[in-house]
Amino acid sequence: MKPISDHETGFISKEISLIGEMKVYPIRIHVIHEENQTVQFAVSELKKYLTAITGQEVKINVKENYNAMDPGIWIGLPSVLPPVRLSRERLEADDSIWIDVEGGNGIISGGNPRGVLFSVYRFFTELGCRWVRPGLDGEYLPNVSLSSKIVKLMESPAHSYRGICIEGSVSLENVTEMIDWMPKVGLNSYFIQLREAYLFFKRWYNHINNPLKSSTEVYSVEAAEASVRKAEIEIKKRGLIYQAVGHGWTCEPFGIPAQTWDKWEQEVDPEISQYFALVNNERKLWDGIPMNTNLCYTNSYARAKMITEITRYAADHPEVDLLHVWLSDGSNNWCECDSCIKVSPSDIYVRILNELDEALSAENLETRIVFLLYKELLWSPVHEEIKNPKRFVLMFAPIHRSYRKSFKVEGELPELPEFVRNQITLPQTVAGNVAFLTEWQRHFSGDGFDFDYHLMWEHHKDPGNTMIAQILHGDIQHLQDIGLEGIISCQTQRSFFPNGLAMTVMASTLWDKKRSFDAIAENYFNSAYGKDGSLCRRYLQEMSELYFELDLENKAYLQKKGKNDVFQRIYSLFHQFEPVLTRNRMHDCTCHSTSWRHLKMHAEIWGELTSALEELYRSNQSHAQTKWEALRLKLWEIEDQYQPVLDVYNFVWVFDGIFSEEQA
Ligand SMILES: [Zn+2]
């Protein structure tokens, strides 16, 4: 075998190792002494994937200074590297990436440590590597000869807020695999909701919604805390923006924990309940649930208790970059006392935020606070203004919105409904929701992002997952039109069934909003499935369109009695695709074989689920329920086969709801 020449390896080196008869030069990575752990991690990832795709030895050299004469890949922050030949301005933006590598020589850098890590992953993406879902079986790593490759690019992301919020049911591995996956696709922020994320871990470790696995062992808060500490290590290692908490500030200050949405079974001392909202002449926990309870916020002692607790938390947790301060998770539960009825919910919320800002400033705490536009708080304040906008980030959470239209709003926005205390109803239309946001933005000009739920419940109603991905794409493309700088997706972490198209679309469009859905989808399907990727895309697209007609969101299929050809078309689609599934049973590549295995399982599950839904459609409620229960049992039995990509807790919750509702 002919030895590789200096020309082919792209650099000159005296260091030569022998593999059989072939002389192979090590690839060299140079890093100027750097203590930042994210840059260090970027270096180790660069080495790991270079080794994997080239099969060559990779050596890391720590240097004092940059030396253009020293061949290899130089990696680090721009301050230690030569001036960028392209625009300096773009590089200085947060998360910007800079790659200038030719034949194994050059520079990998970024606008901040996280940007350096993004650059490493983008370098490998340009070389043909893909991460189609979290975990090793989602990695597609081709064999690459570095000597012939040129990667030169400099980019900044279109949006500043590109993140995931923990929801659903999770193991620690589900969380850490998601955190590991995020920077590979350009996502920059992870939100651990609720103090210990206890509920989300408990759902998994106690196997709630899977009685075949459930145990009597009680999952402890301490175990959840330990998992959160481990997740934080992974967040910080990657330099991700760490967001925390959310609800719970209305009861934790009074010693009532807000770890779940369960009812509080213990007696509440009247010394405490005197600070709860007065609703229907009673001051008590709302529906017995601490998380959903509002306080009598015009009571200065109640506000002070909250603010002291939030300030203490911020002081104890300097690792938190964005601290969420939300009120109750209920609605129509605002205090009706003589003092509170004179103040609108958002006015009193802004008063709390201003007092919190003063308290944090007094302690020299720079923690940024995220405030929530949600339910009653969608109506903007009437009198109060946020005094220090730099402290705050606006979060728009249109939880009642429809997912059948994107944020592209045409024509005039509708008038806002009148606010009537404890009698609100919220619009489902996207325009109706955006109207609230627009009014709020007249009172706040700081940063804002969308907190949205595409992949929380709605994706389960779109088995092709392509329609929800298209809505998500359209939403992100129009975020800046409505004054928002990104999305934090409140979602099940395991939203990769049958594939990660929607997640990939989200990451890709948040990075580059001009990229078309078609371009992202085509790339994704080819990456995830290999040569029959385009057939998969057509099949899932068609399935999405048929299910869009059924409209599980509005249960419209129940009103379309007599027009059952949709079901026949769905069965026919499954039937037509069977040969493609059969011929793709075996793949050498783990990434592709796993994608096909998931798709086959998906066809089996959705074949049965469609049959159960057809019974519902025919008003055969008991047959529908029987078929759903048989499928649910199967899902429970085979959970280990799909656990990393589908959240059975969440899936069962959604379809238990659909099948148990009284039918018209
Ligand atoms: Zn009150």
Side-chain angles (χ1 to χ4, degrees):
M1 195 177 287
K2 179 173 145 301
I4 291 179
S5 71
D6 287 346
H7 174 72
E8 282 169 306
T9 55
F11 56 84
I12 299 164
S13 171
K14 297 292 180 195
E15 299 164 282
I16 298 173
S17 58
L18 295 171
I19 299 175
E21 293 179 28
M22 189 171 70
K23 291 177 184 172
V24 181
Y25 295 93
I27 297 169
R28 297 204 287 179
I29 298 171
H30 305 295
V31 54
I32 296 163
H33 184 70
E34 175 58 64
E35 290 187 351
N36 182 285
Q37 65 164 330
T38 301
V39 175
Q40 288 178 359
F41 181 64
V43 173
S44 66
E45 290 292 273
L46 181 60
K47 178 177 179 177
K48 178 173 104 178
Y49 287 108
L50 276 175
T51 307
I53 65 172
T54 65
Q56 287 176 248
E57 185 186 356
V58 180
K59 289 194 167 181
I60 297 173
N61 302 316
V62 179
K63 297 290 180 73
E64 289 299 316
N65 294 298
Y66 175 77
N67 181 354
M69 301 304 290
D70 222 343
I73 298 176
W74 290 79
I75 177 170
L77 290 164
S79 54
V80 297
L81 294 169
V84 187
R85 278 169 283 174
L86 302 170
S87 159
R88 169 65 70 174
E89 191 182 330
R90 291 180 71 196
L91 186 60
E92 284 172 355
D94 271 356
D95 297 0
S96 59
I97 59 175
W98 172 27
I99 306 165
D100 185 354
V101 179
E102 187 169 352
N105 301 312
I107 284 170
I108 291 181
S109 185
N112 53 12
R114 188 167 63 232
V116 178
L117 183 61
F118 289 146
S119 285
V120 167
Y121 293 132
R122 180 61 178 275
F123 175 62
F124 289 111
T125 303
E126 294 295 319
L127 295 178
C129 301
R130 294 290 183 272
W131 291 276
V132 302
R133 64 186 153 263
L136 284 177
D137 67 22
E139 283 189 344
Y140 175 75
L141 304 178
N143 295 320
V144 173
S145 167
L146 214 52
S147 60
S148 60
K149 300 294 180 188
I150 300 173
V151 183
K152 289 176 188 279
L153 57 91
M154 182 174 282
E155 283 182 17
S156 298
H159 302 90
S160 305
Y161 298 89
R162 311 184 305 279
I164 307 288
C165 172
I166 196 170
E167 262 289 354
S169 154
V170 289
S171 69
L172 174 61
E173 292 71 27
N174 295 147
V175 173
T176 54
E177 286 193 344
M178 173 65 96
I179 293 167
D180 179 64
W181 183 77
M182 289 172 60
K184 289 170 171 156
V185 293
L187 296 171
N188 73 346
S189 182
Y190 196 77
F191 178 4
I192 298 185
Q193 195 188 180
L194 310 182
R195 289 191 191 195
E196 302 86 11
Y198 172 71
L199 178 62
F200 313 111
F201 288 116
K202 180 187 173 195
R203 284 171 179 163
W204 171 255
Y205 288 107
N206 283 164
H207 296 287
I208 294 168
N209 269 359
N210 185 351
L212 302 187
K213 279 174 164 270
S214 63
S215 68
T216 51
E217 197 177 317
V218 177
Y219 184 70
S220 70
V221 174
E222 291 72 25
E225 283 171 344
S227 291
V228 168
R229 298 292 89 80
K230 286 176 183 162
E232 283 171 354
I233 289 169
E234 300 305 318
I235 291 169
K236 292 295 169 185
K237 187 192 287 180
R238 291 160 180 82
L240 302 180
I241 299 164
Y242 177 23
Q243 307 191 35
V245 189
H247 291 301
W249 300 116
T250 61
C251 45
E252 291 268 6
F254 296 94
I256 303 174
Q259 288 152 346
T260 72
W261 278 267
D262 292 343
K263 288 182 190 287
W264 180 248
E265 301 297 345
Q266 299 174 30
E267 283 288 310
V268 178
D269 189 328
E271 285 295 310
I272 292 172
S273 59
Q274 65 174 313
Y275 300 108
F276 293 165
L278 177 74
V279 188
N280 297 326
N281 293 315
E282 286 185 287
R283 294 188 188 272
K284 60 179 187 179
L285 291 172
W286 184 248
D287 287 336
I289 302 169
M291 192 93 80
N292 290 357
T293 301
N294 268 319
L295 301 180
C296 179
Y297 297 116
T298 57
N299 184 312
S300 57
Y301 180 79
R303 291 201 308 280
K305 284 284 277 185
M306 277 180 68
I307 286 159
T308 302
E309 176 70 6
I310 300 165
T311 307
R312 185 196 61 74
Y313 186 91
D316 289 349
H317 295 275
E319 71 280 7
V320 173
D321 300 300
L322 292 176
L323 180 60
H324 289 245
V325 174
W326 309 344
L327 303 180
S328 141
D329 196 23
S331 64
N332 291 320
N333 60 347
W334 283 75
C335 188
E336 296 165 339
C337 81
D338 290 344
S339 174
C340 285
I341 54 165
K342 293 176 189 155
V343 189
S344 80
S346 286
D347 276 310
I348 199 67
Y349 189 31
V350 170
R351 198 182 304 171
I352 292 167
L353 295 174
N354 284 333
E355 289 172 357
L356 173 61
D357 172 50
E358 284 173 26
L360 292 169
S361 297
E363 299 289 326
N364 290 319
L365 293 168
E366 294 182 354
T367 311
R368 294 187 79 200
I369 302 296
V370 181
F371 68 97
L372 169 65
L373 274 58
Y374 179 73
K375 300 186 177 175
E376 274 84 351
L377 299 171
L378 282 164
W379 278 267
S380 66
V382 182
H383 301 292
E384 303 276 348
E385 295 288 336
I386 287 177
K387 291 178 184 164
N388 178 15
K390 286 187 178 167
R391 167 79 71 188
F392 297 101
V393 180
L394 175 155
M395 189 176 97
F396 174 57
I399 196 167
H400 294 275
R401 67 169 280 198
S402 164
Y403 289 91
R404 293 172 68 80
K405 276 195 156 186
S406 80
F407 281 139
K408 186 180 181 188
V409 177
E410 282 156 347
E412 297 227 338
L413 290 170
E415 290 222 351
L416 294 182
E418 185 189 356
F419 173 73
V420 182
R421 183 172 299 248
N422 295 345
Q423 292 179 46
I424 66 158
T425 53
L426 290 166
Q428 194 194 14
T429 64
V430 170
N433 278 278
V434 171
F436 281 109
L437 172 67
T438 305
E439 185 58 29
W440 241 107
Q441 285 164 335
R442 284 157 36 94
H443 301 265
F444 182 76
S445 57
D447 278 8
F449 61 77
D450 180 30
F451 188 72
D452 226 317
Y453 307 85
H454 305 77
L455 304 173
M456 180 83 172
W457 305 290
E458 295 310 310
H459 64 306
H460 291 318
K461 301 171 188 170
D462 171 20
N465 264 218
T466 55
M467 200 61 88
I468 196 77
Q470 268 173 287
I471 295 290
L472 188 48
H473 181 261
D475 280 345
I476 296 170
Q477 285 199 312
H478 293 97
L479 281 177
Q480 286 166 340
D481 298 341
I482 57 171
L484 298 175
E485 280 303 323
I487 279 189
I488 303 302
S489 175
C490 183
Q491 62 162 86
T492 58
Q493 305 300 281
R494 294 174 282 152
S495 291
F496 294 86
F497 190 71
N499 58 50
L501 174 69
M503 293 295 298
T504 303
V505 163
M506 178 166 68
S508 181
T509 319
L510 282 168
W511 186 274
D512 176 4
K513 69 174 183 175
K514 291 183 180 154
R515 199 159 176 227
S516 73
F517 178 79
D518 279 346
I520 303 167
E522 186 182 339
N523 190 304
Y524 182 80
F525 278 95
N526 290 334
S527 304
Y529 298 96
K531 70 176 172 56
D532 277 340
S534 58
L535 293 180
C536 294
R537 185 185 169 195
R538 206 178 312 155
Y539 160 70
L540 291 172
Q541 179 83 42
E542 222 169 300
M543 193 181 301
S544 275
E545 285 165 11
L546 290 165
Y547 262 90
F548 198 77
E549 258 185 76
L550 282 182
D551 188 4
L552 295 187
E553 180 181 289
N554 298 302
K555 304 173 190 68
Y557 56 98
L558 294 173
Q559 280 84 53
K560 289 183 186 167
K561 295 185 196 309
K563 287 188 175 182
N564 63 358
D565 64 322
V566 176
F567 288 100
Q568 294 312 317
R569 280 150 59 202
I570 295 170
Y571 298 133
S572 167
L573 181 65
F574 283 126
H575 183 66
Q576 285 165 19
F577 198 66
E578 270 174 16
V580 185
L581 285 170
T582 305
R583 74 170 178 249
N584 280 286
R585 271 178 314 193
M586 305 291 276
H587 273 264
D588 291 339
C589 155
T590 306
C591 175
H592 293 163
S593 65
T594 306
S595 298
W596 283 102
R597 185 169 60 77
H598 290 164
L599 197 58
K600 185 166 189 307
M601 204 183 307
H602 175 266
E604 289 165 4
I605 290 169
W606 275 94
E608 290 184 35
L609 193 47
T610 303
S611 168
L613 286 165
E614 187 182 6
E615 295 289 357
L616 205 59
Y617 165 90
R618 292 176 184 280
S619 301
N620 295 332
Q621 174 68 25
S622 65
H623 283 112
Q625 185 71 26
T626 303
K627 285 189 173 181
W628 161 240
E629 285 175 11
L631 172 59
R632 193 176 59 182
L633 179 62
K634 184 173 164 185
L635 286 168
W636 288 336
E637 286 169 349
I638 63 168
E639 185 179 3
D640 289 343
Q641 295 178 33
Y642 57 75
Q643 186 275 346
V645 289
L646 177 66
D647 183 334
V648 78
Y649 162 82
N650 198 268
F651 191 80
V652 163
W653 190 85
V654 166
F655 284 97
D656 269 352
I658 287 178
F659 283 99
S660 68
E661 282 168 13
E662 285 193 20
Q663 307 303 319

